[in-house]
Amino acid sequence: MTLVGLDDTDSREHGMCTTYVAARVADAVEAAGGSVDRRHLVRLNPAIEFKTRGNAALCLETDLDPARAFGLATAEVDRLAEVDDPQTDPGVVVADATAETVPDAVAAFARRAVRKRIDSNEAIDLLDRLGYHHDGGRGRIGALAAVGAGRAVDDWTYERIAYRELDRCGTPRTVDRESAFAAAEAAYPDAWDTVDREAGELVCVPSAPGPILYGIRGDDPETVGKVAAAIESEPVESAVTYRTNQGTDAHLRPGTVGTVREGRAYRLDGVVDDAPETRTGGHVHLTIRDGDETLPCVAFEPTKRFRDRVRHLRTGDRVTVCGEVGTGTLKLEKFALREQVTTERVVPTCPDCERSMESAGRNQGYRCRDCGTTAPGRVNRTLDRELDPGWYEAPPCARRHIAKPLVRGGFDAPTHPER
Ligand code: ATP
């Protein structure tokens, strides 16, 4: 068998999309007499700065001879890649292997590409050492990672992608809302992130230019196929089901507040130190502490109602936070409230007039000037908590491709899924 890895063919401004290039490569392989078996769409480290959007890379498994597959793939990439964009630097990698028989070094490379930053030279050295066909530029990092994904991913999900007729690209997409909402409702929770019910948004329909009409994500290929088939829309030029690591939290690694590094994503424990505060732009900031170390965290404005959950956190709450660290701040994707503070220390009120007492001087306690009552110090007041313990997440309209929706299960506390 032959694995064909592809990456970095698209451009933020001009459109295109590596999944579309992969679909065309698959057509070329079939036209040449080969068959295409599994297709993998892997999301790599979301913190990589040169990504166009979701840091996706693709791999096709075929029975065509590696040299022929390489020739066809490079020809399609040359034809379709948006290389006028200086940010686009395509890569093609072809290996003589199946998804399960790639060498350990390739599987390890793929695992690291989801969580770390890898240098181009390292990819090229490994490609040369293995004798793989390769062509192009930086895209070879993602292309090699996609080739290794079959052994690096242990939680597979599926996406059914429907493509537009090419001459419609750049025009508004026509997708019937009612049929999409009905299909999403019927298939939930096996299919997720199809729509955002609360925001009233069709999450499955991209807003960026490009050939994708919609993408339906879920736990099994049958469900995503059924949802896709139930959506009424403009003509679908073609549709493909990919096996993916989307919706799996594969990017998160266990960490500690004091040891995080830039450009990596973590799951880590702490205690809320600075209470949440909404600042310019509607972003909600807080700080968590673990011993002497602190880490600023932020829930960005686009995470919408997730910020309300974050705002309900109080100083002293024990939490687990998840997200990528950039410029010294963890960008919140989800969090768990582990243990909440139930009381706060407040200035006592006068038992006679029920007004706040005043300080009687340093270390002198409090007193009410009018009534003459005194109190030795601050008192406990029961907090009215609005947040139950458990996991909270950004809503579907703001979810990263790789982030695991809570509804998929496997979390270590009660969950409060957004849909
Ligand atoms: P889209 O999601 O629209 O297909 P994209 O977000 O996948 O686009 P690309 O245009 O593919 O973005 O750019 C990502 C680039 O980053 C590729 O060149 C890829 O090889 C490289 N890359 C991916 N993961 C890593 C990593 N872990 N370390 C270094 N480079 C990486």
Side-chain angles (χ1 to χ4, degrees):
M1 289 296 270
T2 299
L3 297 173
V4 181
L6 305 162
D7 196 11
D8 209 338
T9 63
D10 53 353
S11 142
R12 205 182 284 263
E13 284 74 35
H14 307 290
M16 195 36 67
C17 142
T18 308
T19 75
Y20 183 77
V21 177
R24 294 286 75 87
V25 171
D27 289 348
V29 164
E30 282 168 352
S35 73
V36 175
D37 191 10
R38 287 171 299 185
R39 304 169 193 233
H40 290 159
L41 189 179
V42 291
R43 299 286 177 177
L44 304 173
N45 185 351
I48 293 303
E49 65 278 18
F50 10 81
K51 68 176 182 179
T52 311
R53 282 179 294 269
N55 205 2
L58 276 293
C59 180
L60 305 172
E61 199 171 37
T62 170
D63 56 0
L64 205 67
D65 158 73
R68 280 198 74 197
F70 183 62
L72 293 172
T74 49
E76 284 305 303
V77 168
D78 286 348
R79 191 167 72 82
L80 294 167
E82 286 290 347
V83 287
D84 290 345
D85 185 328
Q87 298 294 325
T88 305
D89 198 4
V92 177
V93 166
V94 171
D96 187 0
T98 68
E100 284 76 25
T101 60
V102 291
D104 292 349
V106 180
F109 183 92
R111 279 189 207 101
R112 289 174 49 232
V114 177
R115 294 187 175 178
K116 292 186 181 172
R117 177 163 310 167
I118 300 178
D119 188 68
S120 266
N121 291 329
E122 185 186 333
I124 294 162
D125 286 349
L126 182 57
L127 287 165
D128 286 339
R129 203 146 35 90
L130 295 164
Y132 284 0
H133 298 270
H134 61 95
D135 185 48
R138 191 181 55 223
R140 286 176 289 185
I141 301 171
L144 179 56
V147 163
R151 283 193 55 205
V153 177
D154 46 22
D155 178 14
W156 290 105
T157 65
Y158 295 83
E159 177 163 2
R160 179 80 172 163
I161 297 183
Y163 295 100
R164 311 185 74 186
E165 290 176 335
L166 256 201
D167 57 7
R168 285 181 190 262
C169 292
T171 65
R173 293 167 171 88
T174 308
V175 177
D176 176 62
R177 284 175 60 84
E178 214 170 294
S179 62
F181 271 88
E185 186 68 27
Y188 186 84
D190 297 331
W192 25 265
D193 293 0
T194 313
V195 299
D196 188 314
R197 290 202 318 180
E198 233 164 275
E201 218 175 277
L202 288 183
V203 178
C204 60
V205 179
S207 49
I212 294 183
L213 182 58
Y214 53 79
I216 307 301
R217 297 172 181 187
D219 291 330
D220 64 86
E222 294 75 29
T223 301
V224 295
K226 232 192 270 173
V227 174
I231 294 177
E232 290 162 27
S233 70
E234 66 182 57
V236 170
E237 187 225 51
S238 58
V240 177
T241 302
Y242 292 99
R243 204 155 78 117
T244 91
N245 64 346
Q246 293 171 159
T248 64
D249 275 348
H251 62 314
L252 300 179
R253 65 175 72 212
T256 61
V257 167
T259 58
V260 294
R261 286 168 58 180
E262 295 283 306
R264 297 183 176 188
Y266 296 91
R267 181 188 298 111
L268 46 87
D269 298 328
V271 172
V272 176
D273 200 38
D274 291 331
E277 185 193 350
T278 306
R279 297 194 197 145
T280 323
H283 314 307
V284 179
H285 296 258
L286 73 158
T287 305
I288 64 164
R289 173 179 291 279
D290 181 11
D292 291 339
E293 308 283 352
T294 58
L295 178 67
C297 302
V298 59
F300 286 122
E301 191 280 334
T303 63
K304 301 292 174 199
R305 55 196 192 264
F306 177 55
R307 294 171 304 159
D308 295 333
R309 321 282 178 253
V310 175
R311 285 187 187 107
H312 282 129
L313 290 170
R314 293 282 170 270
T315 300
D317 281 345
R318 251 188 4 92
V319 291
T320 300
V321 294
C322 300
E324 170 196 324
V325 175
T327 53
T329 301
L330 184 137
K331 302 161 190 171
L332 284 166
E333 296 171 14
K334 52 167 68 84
F335 71 87
L337 173 58
R338 301 292 186 186
E339 213 179 295
Q340 53 186 349
V341 292
T342 51
T343 57
E344 62 181 343
R345 302 285 290 165
V346 292
V347 171
T349 48
C350 168
D352 293 346
C353 69
E354 291 183 359
R355 283 194 304 231
S356 230
M357 290 185 170
E358 287 170 17
S359 171
R362 207 174 146 79
N363 296 327
Q364 307 276 308
Y366 293 86
R367 66 175 179 183
C368 176
R369 278 183 208 281
D370 297 337
C371 309
T373 52
T374 59
R378 288 185 174 237
V379 292
N380 280 338
R381 180 169 69 192
T382 304
L383 276 170
D384 195 9
R385 298 304 308 260
E386 292 181 45
L387 205 63
D388 292 326
W391 283 98
Y392 295 85
E393 64 182 353
C397 65
R399 189 127 58 218
R400 303 191 105 159
H401 305 286
I402 201 165
K404 183 174 178 176
L406 294 177
V407 72
R408 292 201 62 226
F411 291 87
D412 60 3
T415 56
H416 306 275
E418 291 287 346
R419 55 184 294 203

